[in-house]
Amino acid sequence: MTGLMSIQQILSRPAAVLALSLLLPAALTSADAATGKTRHHTRHTAQSANAGAAPVILTAHPGTKLDEDARKLNEDDLQDAAKHHDQPVVLVGSAPLSSGKNDEALFVQLQSARLCGSAGCTTSVYLKHNDTWNTVLDSVNGDISVLPTRHKGMHDLLVSPNDRWVWNGKEYQDTLSAPPMPK
């Protein structure tokens, strides 16, 4: 028996897998530099397209004006939850969506076992216009970030890692095309 190990034996050791995962990208970069080849990484390209994304942080702020507004905007869902002896946690966040000083958006997520499903909890986005909150993005799943890119004067939104929503003049519209409905 020799002192050499097979690839399968090496990869069966967690420490070896971790070391390879850390060393392999550097080794590939060095090999590319030596050969003059350039590699293209799709993941890197997607990250570059979303550079400058500012995540919207949702937290509970009981007793604040934003919490009060969020509860009014989601009153039907909260009343329905109460009928089922459920008390959702109300999470809110805010972010400017344009350069206009009055274009602050309210991001609202209700969290409870009854209201959240296997895809997580949904978040809705409201924009205040003339002292009235209007729904501009309703019930999306995933983390939301505000992107530096704009459409029709409003920042684009990123939901999860790659679902871009753009302003159409009235509300946010998904840029991912849905497959055609079966006949």
Side-chain angles (χ1 to χ4, degrees):
M1 186 163 144
T2 67
L4 297 176
M5 295 173 63
S6 71
I7 294 293
Q8 289 83 8
Q9 290 170 318
I10 292 171
L11 293 178
S12 69
R13 298 177 180 214
V17 173
L18 177 61
L20 283 173
S21 69
L22 295 173
L23 295 174
L24 190 56
L28 289 174
T29 303
S30 297
D32 291 342
T35 62
K37 292 184 181 177
T38 303
R39 290 184 185 260
H40 298 282
H41 300 282
T42 305
R43 185 172 53 173
H44 176 70
T45 303
Q47 288 172 346
S48 297
N50 299 330
V56 176
I57 308 299
L58 298 173
T59 56
H61 293 284
T64 65
K65 179 69 172 139
L66 284 180
D67 181 71
E68 180 184 326
D69 289 343
R71 289 176 186 279
K72 284 179 186 172
L73 292 165
N74 290 275
E75 188 173 9
D76 291 344
D77 288 335
L78 291 170
Q79 285 178 356
D80 183 59
K83 287 178 189 174
H84 294 90
H85 308 289
D86 191 11
Q87 294 181 347
V89 174
V90 178
L91 301 180
V92 297
S94 64
L97 295 181
S98 77
S99 56
K101 64 180 179 177
N102 296 325
D103 284 334
E104 193 75 15
L106 174 62
F107 297 76
V108 180
Q109 184 178 92
L110 303 180
Q111 288 189 350
S112 75
R114 180 166 164 51
L115 295 173
C116 301
S118 61
C121 301
T122 62
T123 302
S124 295
V125 182
Y126 305 91
L127 190 63
K128 198 170 197 174
H129 181 71
N130 294 333
D131 293 328
T132 302
W133 288 104
N134 299 304
T135 305
V136 294
L137 180 58
D138 194 25
S139 302
V140 294
N141 291 86
D143 295 331
I144 300 178
S145 296
V146 178
L147 295 167
T149 53
R150 298 174 188 242
H151 283 84
K152 298 188 179 186
M154 298 288 280
H155 285 280
D156 297 345
L157 298 177
L158 183 66
V159 178
S160 295
N162 59 5
D163 187 7
R164 183 181 294 263
W165 291 71
V166 298
W167 184 251
N168 69 7
K170 184 179 178 182
E171 63 187 2
Y172 279 92
Q173 183 173 11
D174 196 353
T175 61
L176 292 179
S177 57
M181 294 294 293
K183 293 182 180 181

